[in-house]
Amino acid sequence: MFSIDSIANKFRLSYFLFAILLCATFVSIFMYAEVRMEQELVKGRLLQQLELSQEKQGEQPIYIADPGIKIYNYDNAPAHLKAEATETVQEIPVTVNTDTGKTSTNLHFFVYHQDNQSYILTYLEDTKMVMANYPVLAIFEQLEDIFANALRVAVILSLLIAAIFSQLSSRQITKPLLDLKNAVETDHQNLTQLTHLPSEVGVLARAVDEKNHKLEQYLRREQLFTGDVSHELRTPLTIIMGASEVLASQLQDNERLSEFANRISNTAKETSEIITALLLLSRSPEKLDAPPTSINNVAISEVNRLTYLLRHKAVTCTVLADKDYVANVRPELLKMALGNLIKNAFQYTDEGEVTVRIDAEKITVTDTGLGIPEDMMPLLYERFERLEPQNTDTILHSNVLPSDSAGYKIEGSGLGLSIVQRIMAHMDWQLTHQTNASGGSTFSIYYNSRLS
């Protein structure tokens, strides 16, 4: 399919348009020269005939000479010729009667002044020209068609040559760009070879190479930072988990304090899992293994883990699935994505129901909570976007900090849905949102071919 956005096609089109413009210029020059030559030849022939007629016939109101020549004394000329005739030879189409019927042809005429006397000289074209009368004009009439046919052939050949040349030239011009594309897609060594070229491709290759070098440095710094942070955090998290387990074992008789100790231990474990998930996200998807993971087990585990958020609410949660669904995916990533959606649903639903439904196509998390205002939809997956609401009617589903009458405050940094979206892109899955007609929101995770 021809695309004007292609550089090669733009180059071909430019060549073709240039050829058309050049041919049009030559055709215009040829036609102008043809008209001027014919005018001068006709004018010379008619003036010659006027002189011969005056010598043979003396002064007459009208001179008639073959072939097709008629000379009028100005006063005896037809009115329409008087109105249009000038000293320059003009041409108008006329219809004449012949033995075979009416024929369309052209009439040439002009005004000539001689010794205070004016004449209108006319010549009817396409009348048989006798070579002896005016051989130059007769030859011109014969050559006119030959020149026209030759010009048509020249125009066609010019356009054909332009098309072939543009095709060959465009390949040579775009070849360095294709080499640059292949070098960028393959390895750094091939790109380095192009950076030494003095052409525009070399300039572009140097710019791409410099940009790649900066990106490599940036990615290297990010990987080092992620690795260093995870290493430094794992040690205190391990200490916290160990201390919380010891504390919980010593507080078994005190249910209230034991609950806090367990909360500390669970939060430390959750943080450790988040660090693991973030480390996985920092690696290329093709470098990750994707073991068979039970979606049902992950969903049930996350619901149980986050049930504490519903302790003081009239909210029930149900996990629905007609069978156990398994996906080839890292469990840490699925746990983090699904956990964020369930946590948001629990936090922003004060009464009603949260339903987690699993089927062969998707996972849906539906709530009867506050919902998301339409004007906040563009910010739904933005990082650190949190609305400080004046009332509960202006709360964004996962990026707000609402408070209830008891002073309870929903915690978060506005990263939840942003991380879920990043995980979906990493796993090549899709996250969608839909506002429920009865209130609340439905988030859906659509699988790809990894489902089994």
Side-chain angles (χ1 to χ4, degrees):
M1 180 180 294
F2 182 85
S3 174
I4 192 61
D5 295 330
S6 169
I7 295 178
N9 288 337
K10 286 181 178 179
F11 186 77
R12 296 186 188 109
L13 184 61
S14 299
Y15 254 105
F16 197 71
L17 292 177
F18 176 75
I20 292 177
L21 181 61
L22 194 61
C23 290
T25 302
F26 281 114
V27 169
S28 300
I29 294 174
F30 171 80
M31 294 179 66
Y32 175 78
E34 178 191 10
V35 170
R36 291 295 299 159
M37 289 174 62
E38 188 174 20
Q39 288 177 347
E40 293 302 321
L41 290 173
V42 169
K43 190 172 186 178
R45 172 70 178 115
L46 294 179
L47 290 177
Q48 182 187 59
Q49 186 61 50
L50 174 61
E51 184 179 354
L52 293 174
S53 298
Q54 288 176 337
E55 290 178 359
K56 293 180 180 181
Q57 304 176 27
E59 192 64 35
Q60 299 291 333
I62 300 176
Y63 299 105
I64 297 177
D66 292 330
I69 296 176
K70 186 178 289 188
I71 302 174
Y72 299 93
N73 187 293
Y74 190 83
D75 295 333
N76 297 297
H80 69 280
L81 292 180
K82 289 182 180 181
E84 298 182 23
T86 63
E87 294 183 1
T88 302
V89 178
Q90 299 183 63
E91 180 180 343
I92 59 173
V94 295
T95 302
V96 296
N97 294 319
T98 63
D99 296 338
T100 59
K102 293 184 178 181
T103 303
S104 297
T105 184
N106 296 318
L107 179 68
H108 302 264
F109 61 94
F110 70 98
V111 172
Y112 177 67
H113 303 284
Q114 183 185 53
D115 299 332
N116 297 323
Q117 182 66 41
S118 297
Y119 300 90
I120 295 182
L121 296 80
T122 67
Y123 164 62
L124 192 62
E125 193 179 308
D126 291 337
T127 302
K128 183 178 179 181
M129 177 67 66
V130 179
M131 184 67 71
N133 291 337
Y134 197 38
V136 176
L137 184 57
I139 294 173
F140 178 81
E141 293 287 352
Q142 296 173 5
L143 294 178
E144 186 176 10
D145 291 337
I146 297 176
F147 290 147
N149 291 332
L151 186 62
R152 292 189 189 97
V153 173
V155 169
I156 294 174
L157 289 177
S158 298
L159 295 178
L160 182 60
I161 292 173
I164 296 174
F165 186 73
S166 65
Q167 180 74 13
L168 298 176
S169 300
S170 62
R171 290 180 180 177
Q172 295 300 318
I173 290 176
T174 56
K175 184 179 181 301
L177 295 178
L178 296 177
D179 292 341
L180 178 60
K181 168 183 171 294
N182 294 331
V184 172
E185 292 177 346
T186 53
D187 54 54
H188 181 74
Q189 182 178 0
N190 291 340
L191 183 61
T192 305
Q193 294 175 355
L194 296 177
T195 58
H196 302 295
L197 295 177
S199 62
E200 291 81 357
V201 175
V203 175
L204 185 58
R206 287 190 289 273
V208 173
D209 187 54
E210 182 179 356
K211 190 68 175 180
N212 286 344
H213 183 64
K214 291 181 179 179
L215 288 175
E216 287 177 1
Q217 290 181 330
Y218 172 78
L219 292 175
R220 179 62 177 168
R221 287 196 300 268
E222 183 182 29
Q223 290 173 348
L224 291 175
F225 172 78
T226 305
D228 293 343
V229 168
S230 64
H231 178 269
E232 295 300 325
L233 287 179
R234 284 184 185 279
T235 300
L237 285 175
T238 302
I239 296 174
I240 292 174
M241 286 187 289
S244 62
E245 290 175 358
V246 172
L247 184 61
S249 64
Q250 295 178 355
L251 297 174
Q252 292 180 355
D253 297 335
N254 190 328
E255 181 178 352
R256 185 170 180 274
L257 294 179
S258 178
E259 181 181 352
F260 281 108
N262 291 330
R263 179 76 179 278
I264 293 172
S265 177
N266 292 335
T267 302
K269 292 178 181 178
E270 179 182 350
T271 304
S272 178
E273 292 174 353
I274 290 175
I275 292 174
T276 301
L278 293 177
L279 283 173
L280 292 173
L281 286 177
S282 67
R283 299 173 60 186
S284 300
E286 62 273 8
K287 295 182 179 180
L288 293 179
D289 60 330
T293 301
S294 172
I295 300 175
N296 302 51
N297 291 342
V298 172
I300 294 172
S301 173
E302 289 302 291
V303 168
N304 293 334
R305 182 177 66 84
L306 298 168
T307 302
Y308 71 91
L309 295 171
L310 304 179
R311 284 178 302 178
H312 306 294
K313 296 181 180 181
V315 178
T316 60
C317 179
T318 307
V319 179
L320 302 177
D322 56 0
K323 68 174 187 177
D324 187 23
Y325 290 95
V326 177
N328 293 322
V329 65
R330 290 294 304 185
E332 298 91 341
L333 296 179
L334 180 59
K335 175 181 173 66
M336 189 173 184
L338 193 54
N340 269 286
L341 296 182
I342 295 173
K343 183 178 181 180
N344 285 347
F346 285 0
Q347 286 181 324
Y348 294 98
T349 302
D350 292 331
E351 60 182 15
E353 183 181 10
V354 175
T355 303
V356 181
R357 181 175 281 104
I358 306 170
D359 57 38
E361 181 184 12
K362 62 186 180 298
I363 309 170
T364 59
V365 179
T366 304
D367 64 64
T368 57
L370 302 173
I372 302 175
E374 187 66 28
D375 58 341
M376 296 304 296
M377 289 302 297
L379 303 177
L380 188 60
Y381 303 113
E382 295 293 328
R383 294 164 58 86
F384 305 111
E385 289 293 338
R386 296 177 58 83
L387 176 65
E388 297 290 348
Q390 299 299 322
N391 53 62
T392 57
D393 294 332
T394 60
I395 295 178
L396 181 62
H397 192 70
S398 68
N399 294 317
V400 295
L401 292 171
S403 300
D404 59 18
S405 57
Y408 174 74
K409 184 177 182 180
I410 297 177
E411 298 180 353
S413 60
L415 288 173
L417 289 180
S418 174
I419 293 176
V420 175
Q421 185 75 302
R422 182 179 173 187
I423 293 173
M424 293 299 101
H426 202 77
M427 297 191 304
D428 196 23
W429 289 8
Q430 183 181 6
L431 175 66
T432 64
H433 166 265
Q434 180 180 355
T435 300
N436 301 332
S438 58
S441 300
T442 296
F443 283 89
S444 300
I445 296 176
Y446 286 86
Y447 318 122
N448 65 355
S449 58
R450 294 181 182 177
L451 187 65
S452 61

